[in-house]
Amino acid sequence: MSQPATSAPKAGFLARTAIRAANWSERWFPNTLVFALLVVALVAVAAVAIGASPMSVASAFGGGFWDLIPFTMQMAMVAIGGYVVATAGPIRRVIDRLARLPRTGRGAIAMVAALSLVSALFNWGFSLIFSALLVRRLAERPGLRMDYRAAGAAAYLGLGGSWALGLSSSAAQLQANRASIPSSLLPVTGVLPFRETIFTWQSLLLAAVVVAVCVAVAFFSAPRGALIRTADDLGVDPRDPVEQDPPRTRPGEWLEYSPLLTIVVVALVGGWAVREFGAKDPIVAISGLNTYNLLFLALGLLLHWRPRRFLAAVAKAVPATGGVLIQFPFYAGIAAILTKATDSTGHSVSHHLGAVFTGATSAGLFPLLIGGYSIVLGFLIPSGGGKWVIEAPYVMQAANDAHVSLGWTVQIYNAAEALPNLINPFWMLPLLGVLSLKARDIVGFTFTYLVILLPLVLGLLTLLAPTLAYHPPVH
């Protein structure tokens, strides 16, 4: 039975600031596709302004529009694979067991934060849904006074803190796969395997610090006493309806309910994986987005056991990929304008931007400039892979000119661009849907994480940069 509502406690300065920012963005920020179209227009105008002809700008845009189609499909499959695995019956049973562990509400919130951050290193889509379902199970426990808003913010930390430093990092995955790199970008960046990006000791150290700090903040910032707002207080029923397979109505459906084909397909994938990882360096093997996605889909099929359940989970996951599918081609067109629409001297907008970045900073301050720029742009364009394609031509050219490690430049981008997610509602939507909350319910908490992580991440990126050596692009 819910307790009578008490007078609402006064929010702190950070929470009040964050809520004002959230309210303003909800009122004035258009759909993210509009931002993508706006950037198309701005980049086209910039190209004409440096002396490129309008026809060359149009040709570059149209010629590059489909350059990212393989990568677009791959990133959509990352989201689908993560969702499918997180909603499988065995994973739900693991969630039920985990939900029985914490003894206090603060401990529960810290546990959610830790699991969200760690799971996001493997798959951001899995982290979002897994963490949200865990919060709901915790909210069901009688006697566990857990602030539902703070727990929701903790569940989102994987997207705002660690995901871009892990295996599903869009930028790192793109740079590790030659076939995914747009032709206009390859000469500037070369191919960068995971050993030069997410698997450097510097990147692993950065990820460990982010996880540890966020878990500590989750625990110590969790509301206590009268400040706690439970799911009941917020009018949220955390119980999930029990879903049953519909009965079979015709003989042709029997294979949909049988695990026979699941066993065959998973066995084939397993045999292929053994050969793939046996013949290659494991780090090189997992660097392939196709390999990564196939393993996650096979795991999802195995965990759901019956094809019908697997397809039902895929159908629920597909809506979350809409932004990726429609926006990434526009990002490819933007990258093409930046690099291929040139003036009379053969220089592009990317060249001029790279010169600005190179001239504005020394190698020592390069991480601060690039990191700060990526944070600002990340709030406007909340798409790790798509935004990287826009930034990479001139950011990586500037890294070449300043002789900053290209792999670490990717990680500067990764670590910095994740931070705006903490206050941008775009990637919150799947989690908020599961939790039955609004962005303004959790952004007061996520803003606190942003304020703490911002100087910490930029400081570490700057301190660690000199420990990595530069080498020219390797094609």
Side-chain angles (χ1 to χ4, degrees), residues 110-136:
M111 183 183 75
V112 170
L115 291 173
S116 173
L117 288 157
V118 172
S119 61
L121 292 172
F122 297 92
N123 183 289
W124 59 263
F126 174 84
S127 174
L128 263 186
I129 306 305
F130 174 86
S131 304
L133 293 174
L134 176 59
V135 170
R136 290 182 70 95

Side-chain angles (χ1 to χ4, degrees), residues 136-430:
R136 290 182 70 95
R137 296 293 77 73
L138 287 164
E140 286 183 22
R141 277 184 52 185
L144 184 69
R145 294 270 306 159
M146 178 188 75
D147 191 287
Y148 194 64
R149 305 161 303 167
Y156 188 61
L157 284 175
L159 262 289
S162 63
W163 83 274
L165 298 173
L167 289 174
S168 61
S169 162
S170 305
Q173 284 280 10
L174 183 143
Q175 290 299 156
N177 290 271
R178 183 186 180 92
S180 298
I181 303 174
S183 57
S184 60
L185 184 58
L186 185 61
V188 180
T189 68
V191 178
L192 297 168
F194 279 178
R195 288 190 184 279
E196 298 185 31
T197 55
I198 64 173
F199 285 150
T200 60
W201 69 261
Q202 294 89 343
S203 181
L204 294 173
L205 173 63
L206 177 59
V209 170
V210 168
V211 171
V213 169
C214 285
V215 171
V217 173
F219 181 83
F220 290 108
S221 67
R224 288 177 284 179
L227 294 173
I228 293 174
R229 301 291 303 278
T230 65
D232 259 3
D233 295 331
L234 297 170
V236 176
D237 183 357
R239 294 171 299 177
D240 287 330
V242 178
E243 296 185 5
Q244 300 289 345
D245 291 333
R248 282 177 282 182
T249 58
R250 53 191 177 86
E253 291 180 334
W254 76 272
L255 281 175
E256 298 178 22
Y257 289 82
S258 170
L260 176 62
L261 295 179
T262 295
I263 294 170
V264 172
V265 171
V266 171
L268 287 172
V269 174
W272 171 83
V274 169
R275 185 177 183 279
E276 183 78 1
F277 282 85
K280 298 179 180 178
D281 181 331
I283 293 179
V284 174
I286 198 62
S287 296
L289 257 177
N290 290 336
T291 300
Y292 174 85
N293 280 331
L294 179 57
L295 292 177
F296 249 89
L297 287 175
L299 178 60
L301 183 60
L302 179 64
L303 292 174
H304 282 278
W305 197 235
R306 292 172 171 80
R308 188 173 191 85
R309 293 177 185 172
F310 175 78
L311 287 173
V314 169
K316 292 180 180 178
V318 167
T321 67
V324 171
L325 293 174
I326 196 63
Q327 291 179 45
F328 272 40
F330 287 98
Y331 296 142
I334 292 167
I337 295 174
L338 284 170
T339 56
K340 294 183 178 179
T342 59
D343 58 20
S344 58
T345 63
H347 292 150
S348 65
V349 174
S350 175
H351 171 84
H352 290 287
L353 286 172
V356 169
F357 275 96
T358 303
T361 183
S362 65
L365 295 178
F366 184 85
L368 281 177
L369 179 65
I370 299 302
Y373 172 75
S374 297
I375 289 170
V376 173
L377 191 60
F379 189 71
L380 300 176
I381 306 175
S383 172
K387 187 163 69 68
W388 173 246
V389 174
I390 296 172
E391 283 193 51
Y394 51 90
V395 166
M396 295 295 266
Q397 183 59 57
N400 281 314
D401 294 340
H403 282 198
V404 176
S405 164
L406 295 177
W408 191 242
T409 301
V410 174
Q411 292 307 90
I412 292 171
Y413 168 84
N414 277 331
E417 80 87 21
L419 297 180
N421 290 345
L422 289 167
I423 54 173
N424 194 314
F426 179 75
W427 292 113
M428 291 182 186
L429 297 178

Side-chain angles (χ1 to χ4, degrees), residues 84-97 300 302-305 309 313:
V84 166
V85 171
T87 55
I91 300 299
R92 283 180 174 266
R93 288 191 285 274
V94 170
I95 290 172
D96 290 340
R97 293 191 182 96
L302 179 64
L303 292 174
H304 282 278
W305 197 235
R309 293 177 185 172

